[in-house]
Amino acid sequence: MTATTSSPAAAEGRGRSAGRPAERPGQRRTRHRELRGALLFLSPWIVGFLVFTLWPVLYSGYLSLTDYDVLTDPEFVGLENYERMAQDDDVRLALWNTFYYTVLHVPLLVILSLALALLLNQAGRSAGFFRTAFFLPKMTPPVAVGVLLLLLFNGQGGLVNEVLGWFGIDGPNWTTDPAWVKPGIVLMSLWAIGSSVIILLAALRSVPQELYDSARVDGAGFWQRTLRITLPMISGPIFFIVVVNTIASFQTFTEAYTAFFGSGNTTYSNDAALFYVIYLFRQAFEFLDMGYASALAWLLFVIILLVTLVQLRVSRRFVFYEGEDR
Amino acid sequence: MSVNVGAAGSADATRVESLGLAAVVQETGGLPPQRRPRLTVGRVLVLAALGVATLIFVYPFVWLLSASFKPRGEVFDNKLIPDTFTVENYLNVWQEAPMALWLLNTVIVTVLAAVTVTISSAMVAWGFSYFRFRGREALFGLVLATMMLPGAVTMIPTFLIWNSLGQVGTLTPLWAGNLFGSAFYIFLMRQFFQGLPRDPFEAATLDGANNWTLFWKIALPLTRPAVVVTLLFELQAAWTDLMRPLIYLRDSSTFTIPRGLKSLVDQYGFGGEWHWEIIVTASVITTVPMIIIFFLGQRHFIEGIATTGAKG
């Protein structure tokens, strides 16, 4: 292989254009080889993209304009599904529940994982042990987390209320009282923050030590160093965690579905845990209202997109990237 | 293969470029050389706080495990050591539900999902990092863009595809989509591949190696850490998934273990009188294999997360 292949411009085959020497046969063969190789290796993704992404996106858009129950052909109904959504009290409820959960879950997750990462960063040799312990819950299948939620937060003898009892607090019925269902789910969700802690710890470890050394010489204390150096230096990863977890929390499903909704012949449900994707899932696969569910999916997409864009905009004021002038 | 890959031997996890997140794998692994810390009040407080946190993170496992050895009436007594120790719950679960079959189904799905997604994603990642062609960056941008799409949008048409192929009710839809790679893993592996030097591949080409040999015999072995991380991440994702089994599996004989656990919660919980001991024991059986996998691949999990910033 000749050296020309390592230059993208040469391989892109503009060899014959003005100002460039004509392409030699060998070069053309190389270019051909590169393209053939690329097509061979990219073919799984190309097929997958067309069949499992592009077509589903387009077809989902079409389905959202139809009435479709899988058994009979989709019937075109225009914007009816979207009009129905606007009047559906359950959609409003599901959106409210989902926002409530996100607004509570994401900030708590960030604050707690930051606190734990800062502690771990001070832990010296034993950090590895604690890091492992913190990550363990992340390996628990979400369906089992749903079960743990029912058990630990149980109003009748659950561990959480027993611990609260030690401090003289009479714990609520977390799993049945509509006012306490969502806070309970949020608290349980915080059990699995291990990967955020690991990401932030990695970020903390990559802050240059010189910055701290010179701050110390200037007489800055622990809090000042944390506020003036640490937080700005890891604002990128913090922002990343905020965005990724906001998106994930809009799509929260398994834990709440396991704990608060019966599938199949069972009908148990608790409206306080009706998150958006749970509502969408039930419309699609329990009531076979695929057209309506597709419209719901598009609303979710638009909401996530808007929220992410707002976060990106706001972050410009707070997030500091290395090498950037401020 | 008589290819000299000498210089490339050092291409390991530490070469990974950060994926937008400045996290250096090396630094999350071992500890930086430092003098032995003195035991100050501050350090004692730090360790105490970490100890309390560890208790909160680990105790639910202990609780669950201990409850699974208690008779029904004592599940909620919150005692660490059961008053009455019994293994009857395990025998009962095994009789009440086809646990062995569920485990087998889960193992089949999990292994197929992890192996297929690793090979296909590695292929695509290699296609994006080794070959030069017009529009490469734009196409890779499209790969990344697909990561942003919420699963809910493609969920229903994807179901219709498997339905029209007659695969609903079988295990196929739970893994076969992985034959086409997954954006996140393509992204992850490409980072590794781009750290590889070009020389050994050009030398091998001169020796007459074809594209597939370059990929399979040289590139993939050189990026083993990335392969291991991908395998482990997907093992975990496939093992713990509930939504797809809920959508695609109909008959209890095809259930994966999380789907089976959900059916037990419905049957022995919401269906009538709560049989907590069955649910608790099934939860332990669902969780333990993941814990074993975690301890086997611990370092890779933690490095993979520090590097890629997987959600959570």
Side-chain angles (χ1 to χ4, degrees), chain B residues 52-220:
Chain B
V52 171
T54 300
L55 204 62
I56 293 172
F57 283 114
V58 174
Y59 197 74
F61 291 109
V62 180
W63 192 98
L64 200 64
L65 196 65
S66 130
S68 74
F69 292 107
K70 295 171 182 171
R72 185 183 305 170
E74 292 170 26
V75 167
F76 273 109
D77 66 4
N78 292 329
K79 282 180 184 154
L80 189 61
I81 312 288
D83 280 342
T84 326
F85 183 91
T86 171
V87 292
E88 213 172 292
N89 297 336
Y90 285 88
L91 302 174
N92 284 345
V93 167
W94 228 263
Q95 269 171 5
E96 295 294 324
M99 277 290 170
L101 195 57
W102 291 350
L103 279 169
L104 179 70
N105 289 336
T106 317
V107 169
I108 292 171
V109 166
T110 304
V111 169
L112 284 173
V115 170
T116 50
V117 92
T118 304
I119 295 175
S120 58
S121 302
M123 275 179 70
V124 177
W126 180 243
F128 274 116
S129 58
Y130 183 69
F131 301 101
R132 330 240 162 202
F133 55 93
R134 197 193 289 253
R136 184 171 74 157
E137 296 311 312
L139 204 60
F140 189 67
L142 191 59
V143 174
L144 297 188
T146 61
M147 276 203 282
M148 318 290 171
L149 194 69
V153 175
T154 52
M155 184 168 83
I156 292 167
T158 305
F159 168 80
L160 297 174
I161 293 174
W162 293 116
N163 192 31
S164 65
L165 294 173
Q167 296 301 313
V168 170
T170 74
L171 296 177
T172 316
L174 306 190
W175 63 270
N178 283 358
L179 284 165
F180 308 102
S182 146
F184 175 70
Y185 300 128
I186 293 171
F187 180 47
L188 180 130
M189 297 242 205
R190 182 172 165 273
Q191 297 299 114
F192 278 80
F193 284 138
Q194 291 200 322
L196 295 181
R198 227 177 150 79
D199 310 354
F201 298 99
E202 302 195 341
T205 311
L206 290 178
D207 285 353
N210 65 24
N211 278 331
W212 183 256
T213 314
L214 296 186
F215 166 69
W216 192 252
K217 293 272 175 67
I218 310 177
L220 219 46

Side-chain angles (χ1 to χ4, degrees), chain B residues 267-288:
Chain B
Q267 192 184 339
Y268 292 97
F270 303 135
E273 191 196 347
W274 284 91
H275 289 236
W276 287 111
E277 79 291 356
I278 297 273
I279 296 168
V280 162
T281 309
S283 300
V284 171
I285 297 171
T286 309
T287 308
V288 162

